[in-house]
Amino acid sequence: MRRLTSSNNRPREDSWLKSLFVRKVDPRKDAHSNLLAKKETSSLYKLQFHNVKPECLDAYNKICQEVLPKIHEDKHYPCTLVGTWNTWYGEQDQAVHLWRYEGGYPALTEVMNKLRENQEFVSFRKARSDMLLSRKNQLLLEFSFWNEPVPRSGPNIYELRSYQLRPGTMIEWGNYWARAIRFRQDGNEAVGGFFSQIGQLYMVHHLWAYKDLQTREDIRNAAWHKHGWEELVYYTVPLIQEMESRIMIPLKTSPLQ
């Protein structure tokens, strides 16, 4: 009799235990990219990280400054160079490039096909490959509530803050940062905010510009004196698995100076 009672109660116990660990979410009727990205544009971004052999960094920068602006300025390529930097603090001997493709994936494909026929670029890639230790890239969309990254004069330093979010939390992140961004506009430091589509997924990148490291410190400390900032930080930190900060110096030909 005792065994029968235990058996009859088991499904009910299992159901109760599962309710403790299963997170209930609201059903979504659309992809994250459609819910979070800008609707008025169809731009796609490519973020490139190149780890350069230390002895080759000067030569690498030189050929990049000779070739990349030509693609940026050529109207036959539906893309623009948003910015190009060397990492100052963070991973050393690293170059970071951010490209925008006006027209989304078709524009990306068009540029790739045209570059295969561009002999100067083919030679550039061959020379570049001998200078690199490793490279990776991501395709990104921009958050609808962030500034559009546009050229700016310098001198500035740039901070790229990269967040690896827990899978399934991108909408929550977007909802919180749509409010949080208003706390970080006073010094015109907000350059752009992006989330990954291809490459390492559930990645968020925030790009900031500062006059120098002390200005960065002052602006970030000032945010804590604004009512509501601490609450938004409290709720977004649990969404993060890993985070990284790079301080970057723009190359002379970067549109973001």
Side-chain angles (χ1 to χ4, degrees), residues 60-98:
Y60 172 91
N61 287 339
K62 185 175 184 295
I63 62 172
C64 284
Q65 292 182 110
E66 290 173 353
V67 175
L68 300 188
K70 294 179 182 179
I71 300 168
H72 169 75
E73 295 164 2
D74 193 330
K75 301 303 181 184
H76 292 94
Y77 294 95
C79 66
T80 55
L81 181 63
V82 177
T84 179
W85 304 268
N86 286 153
T87 299
W88 184 23
Y89 287 103
E91 195 160 354
Q92 296 293 281
D93 303 306
Q94 185 180 71
V96 180
H97 309 290
L98 181 63

Side-chain angles (χ1 to χ4, degrees), residues 17-111:
L17 286 170
K18 287 178 181 177
S19 70
L20 292 179
F21 299 103
V22 175
R23 183 183 179 195
K24 296 179 180 179
V25 297
D26 295 330
R28 300 291 179 186
K29 301 297 184 182
D30 210 343
H32 288 175
S33 58
N34 293 331
L35 294 170
L36 294 170
K38 281 184 168 63
K39 297 296 191 296
E40 65 272 16
T41 64
S42 57
S43 293
L44 180 71
Y45 290 81
K46 180 170 69 175
L47 185 61
Q48 297 174 300
F49 298 99
H50 291 173
N51 292 317
V52 186
K53 296 175 183 177
E55 68 274 16
C56 296
L57 186 60
D58 289 341
Y60 172 91
N61 287 339
K62 185 175 184 295
I63 62 172
C64 284
Q65 292 182 110
E66 290 173 353
V67 175
L68 300 188
K70 294 179 182 179
I71 300 168
H72 169 75
E73 295 164 2
D74 193 330
K75 301 303 181 184
H76 292 94
Y77 294 95
C79 66
T80 55
L81 181 63
V82 177
T84 179
W85 304 268
N86 286 153
T87 299
W88 184 23
Y89 287 103
E91 195 160 354
Q92 296 293 281
D93 303 306
Q94 185 180 71
V96 180
H97 309 290
L98 181 63
W99 291 88
R100 177 170 52 230
Y101 297 86
E102 294 86 359
Y105 293 107
L108 173 68
T109 301
E110 180 182 346
V111 171

